[in-house]
Amino acid sequence: MAITLKPWACHPAQSRGRRHTEAPAPTRDDFQRDRDRIVHSTAFRRLVYKTQVFLNHEGDLFRTRLTHSLEVAQLARSIARTMGLNEDLCEAISLAHDFGHTPFGHAGQDALDECLRRVEPESGGFEHNFQSLRVVDVLEERYAAFDGLNLTFETREGILKHCSRRHADELERADPGGVGHRFLARTQPSLEAQVCNLADEIAYNAHDIDDGVRSGLIEQEQLLAVLPLFARFHAEALREAPALAGKRLLYDTIRRMLSAQVYDVVAASSALIREHVPANVDVVRASPPLIGFSPGMRGDVEQIKAFLRHELYRHPRVVATTDGAKQVVRGLFEAYSTQPGELPAGHAVADYIAGMTDRFALREHERLTGTVPSWVR
Ligand code: MG
């Protein structure tokens, strides 16, 4: 079914284009082409062996960066389709949004950031969003004519979700008015980029509850006691199916929470758009954020985030493995910095480590240091 894009959506024919000019593809528009380039990239295949919250070796059913990215794409596409926004662009942004993540999730990123700041205080450290852009702009090696994937401005704008002042300045110097500009001018990205940001948040809140319960680190009773949104849909699920229990009850509750958040975003954002009626995406960029939850749902979502922070991300068992993971990243950084001959030619230490999967990082760590961390079973 052909869907008419709203005037405030990103229209492929009005794209700000690619950094290197290319002839149009005969069967696909530019955002569909971006999505396809992303799916065929090396960085995309690496996502399957990268940690989301639980380290990759802890179990086969936990989310990885790949399944997380697919869930973000599903949510973002669903919101975009309903709102007359560009579904292909949302898919492209979602599938690439975590390309810059190091092995071992946030622990790996924190360790790499510390190492980089210590040896290169002027570098601005390591930021995964900035690194995601580096992957698609520079690090992928697939084309004869250019480095990177040569994606459109709109996809790159969405991938660069956050950016420090220092990195924004660096981007602006290289490409005035480019994707770094909005962090200096404090303007917004396209609605599609805003949808992907929110879909990311909806996805990880839901799947971290699921993975947290699966791991045994959090209990359904805790969720019921402290999260009104969870309690509301748990009660609704039991009203409709009183015999429901255990995992199925958890899944049913999470499914209802996900739908409620999507409907809430669509309703609240559509109301904001009706109020502003942006004539096109450039007016969107100059407007306040137009994609968001209603104030009530925002409150519920903040409660979920606070709960996960305290009960899951800072759980002693999670912290113990993430501390171990940091040591692996520090060990690798140290080893490559003192023995640059161990790096493949033309690679920078931070880019090389950031690109690793969890298990490749562990293998390299063992090869270079002769040690296997005790937390690896
Ligand atoms: Mg994400």
Side-chain angles (χ1 to χ4, degrees):
M1 184 179 69
I3 291 169
T4 315
L5 291 178
K6 299 289 188 192
W8 43 82
C10 283
H11 295 250
Q14 290 153 22
S15 168
R16 288 175 60 178
R18 304 179 188 279
R19 297 198 300 165
H20 307 273
T21 309
E22 294 184 63
T27 58
R28 299 167 295 168
D29 71 38
D30 276 332
F31 300 142
Q32 292 167 340
R33 201 176 189 188
D34 280 0
R35 186 252 341 265
D36 298 348
R37 288 180 178 196
I38 286 163
V39 169
H40 290 277
S41 68
T42 308
F44 187 69
R45 286 191 298 283
R46 287 188 175 131
L47 294 175
V48 72
Y49 295 112
K50 288 198 178 205
T51 286
Q52 183 68 25
V53 170
F54 291 92
L55 298 187
N56 209 285
H57 71 280
E58 290 183 291
D60 290 346
L61 296 182
F62 294 117
R63 265 68 175 188
T64 66
R65 291 265 166 224
L66 180 67
T67 52
H68 162 72
S69 301
L70 294 172
E71 290 180 29
V72 175
Q74 181 277 316
L75 291 164
R77 289 177 55 192
S78 178
I79 295 169
R81 194 182 318 125
T82 311
M83 295 184 65
L85 301 176
N86 197 306
E87 192 179 334
D88 299 310
L89 176 58
C90 279
E91 188 177 15
I93 295 170
S94 302
L95 294 180
H97 85 284
D98 273 351
F99 273 8
H101 269 288
T102 61
F104 314 122
H106 280 278
Q109 143 155 315
D110 292 346
L112 190 54
D113 183 51
E114 286 162 27
C115 294
L116 204 55
R117 283 176 192 277
R118 193 161 28 80
V119 299
E120 290 175 39
E122 297 305 306
S123 71
F126 183 85
E127 286 182 85
H128 70 259
N129 293 118
F130 183 69
Q131 189 70 13
S132 296
L133 185 71
R134 246 180 98 63
V135 170
V136 298
D137 278 0
V138 183
L139 299 177
E140 279 285 323
E141 298 174 322
R142 311 188 74 80
Y143 294 90
F146 45 76
D147 286 337
L149 302 177
N150 197 29
L151 303 179
T152 60
F153 174 88
E154 291 75 11
T155 302
R156 297 170 57 242
E157 172 190 46
I159 289 173
L160 191 63
K161 173 171 157 183
H162 300 293
C163 186
S164 65
R165 172 91 205 191
R166 195 185 291 248
H167 282 145
D169 280 334
E170 188 182 319
L171 289 168
E172 186 66 10
R173 273 195 303 276
D175 177 21
V179 290
H181 189 75
R182 77 180 167 96
F183 300 96
L184 305 172
R186 300 190 176 282
T187 54
Q188 301 304 315
S190 71
L191 296 177
E192 286 80 359
Q194 295 181 41
V195 164
C196 293
N197 281 351
L198 218 59
D200 190 18
E201 194 179 344
I202 297 173
Y204 64 65
N205 285 332
H207 64 51
D208 289 351
I209 290 178
D210 180 356
D211 285 352
V213 173
R214 176 188 307 284
S215 68
L217 300 184
I218 55 182
E219 308 270 350
Q220 287 202 58
E221 290 66 36
Q222 278 177 287
L223 297 163
L224 279 176
V226 298
L227 300 179
L229 189 71
F230 186 88
R232 191 188 334 150
F233 290 109
H234 189 270
E236 189 185 277
L238 281 177
R239 253 197 322 276
E240 287 179 27
L244 213 51
K247 263 192 226 162
R248 275 204 196 199
L249 177 54
L250 175 69
Y251 294 152
D252 206 281
T253 306
I254 291 174
R255 178 175 64 76
R256 287 165 194 267
M257 283 170 60
L258 277 176
S259 298
Q261 289 174 77
V262 168
Y263 304 151
D264 183 89
V265 168
V266 170
S269 308
S270 300
L272 276 176
I273 291 170
R274 274 197 301 278
E275 204 178 292
H276 288 262
V277 204
N280 55 46
V281 63
D282 285 325
V283 180
V284 165
R285 292 185 175 112
S287 302
L290 297 177
I291 301 290
F293 292 118
S294 65
M297 186 62 88
R298 178 39 79 188
D300 282 317
V301 169
E302 290 305 320
Q303 284 178 323
I304 297 175
K305 289 167 79 165
F307 172 84
L308 288 170
R309 215 166 26 245
H310 285 102
E311 305 300 327
L312 186 62
Y313 311 143
R314 293 186 193 153
H315 190 287
R317 237 181 72 194
V318 172
V319 171
T321 49
T322 53
D323 281 351
K326 284 185 183 178
Q327 284 171 19
V328 171
V329 170
R330 286 190 206 109
L332 286 171
F333 195 90
E334 178 68 25
Y336 292 124
S337 303
T338 51
Q339 311 159 66
E342 296 292 346
L343 273 177
H347 283 69
V349 177
D351 287 336
Y352 191 55
I353 295 175
M356 291 179 180
T357 61
D358 290 17
R359 56 187 196 170
F360 183 74
L362 287 169
R363 275 206 303 273
E364 276 293 276
H365 185 264
E366 186 180 359
R367 184 179 73 81
L368 294 165
T369 68
T371 57
V372 180
S374 58
W375 49 271
V376 179
R377 276 166 284 166

